[in-house]
Amino acid sequence: MATVTAVLHRGVVDSDEPILCADDLGVLRGDGVFETINVREGRAFLLDRHLARMAASAERMEFELPDEAALAALAEQALAAWRESAGGEGALRLVATRGREHGGPPTVFATVDPVSRERILPRRDGLRIATATLGVDADARGRAPWLLGGVKALSYATTMAVMRWAKSQGADDALWVSADGFALEGPTSSLLWLEGETLCTTPVSAGILPGTTSAFLLENAPKAGLKTAERLIPVEELREAEAAWLTSSVRGVAFITSIDGESVDQRPDVTAELDKLAGFDVPS
Ligand SMILES: Cc1ncc(COP(=O)(O)O)c(C=O)c1O
């Protein structure tokens, strides 16, 4: 049960109350979009960027989302209830499905849940990564928009499958690698790495989801004395990088400790700077 649930045009409802119909295309087809947003001190971090990405995702999937003001108001209804009930670090989900099979408006709701200690321990302990082929070249999703590269769609079944597979390999998470050998992103996170004093990430042209956390870190990296770049990196080169991280809104900044069982270099000083820039608390 979610801690807080709010439904568009209805407001906060009992989280045990059913809010979807059996013919909702979000359920039948994973046909919808979503955002997961870090909540700290009762406020959603980088909400505007998440709303902009959600609108872009819906546009790519050709369905109409309520405007950003309506979504922001829905988020605020959920957050107000969260502030009253719990507080502390949370995860706000905004979900919009295409709606019911035979037409009608999108189904839109928000939830807020506490963030478990286990979910944020990678900020302290890092992640062991297993590489997994995406099965297509790095430029394929640019040429094939139906693959929905760069869209945060609800259909995350392959995402969940690759994370289960990574765990079966003794890793904590996976790293998608294109068929032509480039490291792209995590199944639910963006890839950053360090070359000298340059913080690098994958270009959006490779079909990755444009991460809000990674974009914020790159924009603010000069404050930590870092230069920035976007480029494709062959996975073999990533293994030799000075440090690499997977970043996402709730997990925060997680340094990579090994790739396919081989230890990789780390820069704890830069990890600490990145945590500071984005304001992530590191659990003790
Ligand atoms: C595929 C993918 N890449 C990157 C990210 C990281 O995005 P953000 O930093 O906006 O959470 C996510 C987040 O869930 C994701 O699903």
Side-chain angles (χ1 to χ4, degrees):
M1 183 180 97
T3 305
V4 172
T5 305
V7 180
L8 190 71
H9 306 312
R10 285 173 61 193
V12 174
V13 298
D14 184 334
S15 287
D16 276 338
E17 190 183 318
I19 57 166
L20 291 178
C21 293
D23 65 349
D24 194 289
L25 289 166
V27 175
L28 296 181
R29 310 252 191 235
D31 195 355
V33 299
F34 77 108
E35 289 292 322
T36 308
I37 305 163
N38 185 273
V39 177
R40 37 177 85 169
E41 280 145 28
R43 310 273 160 211
F45 183 55
L46 304 178
L47 180 63
D48 290 354
R49 292 174 194 231
H50 284 281
L51 292 176
R53 186 172 66 186
M54 194 171 182
S57 293
E59 197 177 335
R60 284 277 309 284
M61 287 180 64
E62 298 174 38
F63 76 95
E64 223 162 285
L65 213 55
D67 62 26
E68 289 189 19
L71 292 173
L74 173 68
E76 184 45 37
Q77 285 173 337
L79 289 169
W82 166 256
R83 287 192 291 270
E84 273 172 33
S85 75
E89 198 164 335
L92 165 68
R93 272 207 188 95
L94 285 176
V95 180
T97 80
R98 191 180 298 277
R100 299 183 66 177
E101 191 163 29
H102 298 293
T107 305
V108 185
F109 59 93
T111 61
V112 193
D113 283 296
V115 175
S116 69
R117 177 174 164 79
E118 190 192 13
R119 206 158 160 201
I120 59 171
L121 269 183
R123 296 181 193 169
R124 187 192 75 181
D125 298 341
L127 292 170
R128 297 163 297 176
I129 297 302
T131 58
T133 182
L134 186 66
V136 296
D137 287 351
D139 66 354
R141 291 184 290 186
R143 290 182 279 110
W146 52 89
L147 294 178
L148 295 179
V151 173
K152 199 162 167 68
L154 282 175
S155 33
Y156 259 43
T158 50
T159 305
M160 297 298 109
V162 79
M163 291 170 85
R164 285 193 298 273
W165 172 82
K167 292 211 160 81
S168 77
Q169 304 301 299
D172 303 305
D173 204 346
L175 176 68
W176 287 124
V177 177
S178 64
D180 47 352
F182 295 105
L184 297 177
E185 64 182 341
T188 62
S189 53
S190 312
L191 174 67
L192 300 181
W193 69 94
L194 193 68
E195 288 177 15
E197 293 306 302
T198 303
L199 187 65
C200 306
T201 196
T202 321
V204 168
S205 59
I208 58 151
L209 187 76
T212 57
T213 317
S214 57
F216 181 84
L217 288 169
L218 259 78
E219 278 166 37
N220 287 282
K223 291 183 194 157
L226 297 168
K227 296 196 221 52
T228 63
E230 282 189 4
R231 76 170 184 97
L232 278 173
I233 185 166
V235 71
E236 296 314 324
E237 264 181 53
L238 185 71
R239 296 179 204 277
E240 306 303 323
E242 278 162 63
W245 299 267
L246 291 182
T247 66
S248 60
S249 298
V250 174
R251 192 161 58 186
V253 177
F255 52 95
I256 296 177
T257 59
S258 67
I259 301 179
D260 298 330
E262 299 283 326
S263 295
V264 295
D265 289 342
Q266 296 165 32
R267 282 283 299 270
D269 56 326
V270 179
T271 302
E273 289 289 351
L274 297 178
D275 285 328
K276 203 162 93 189
L277 283 177
F280 287 116
D281 286 337
V282 179
S284 51

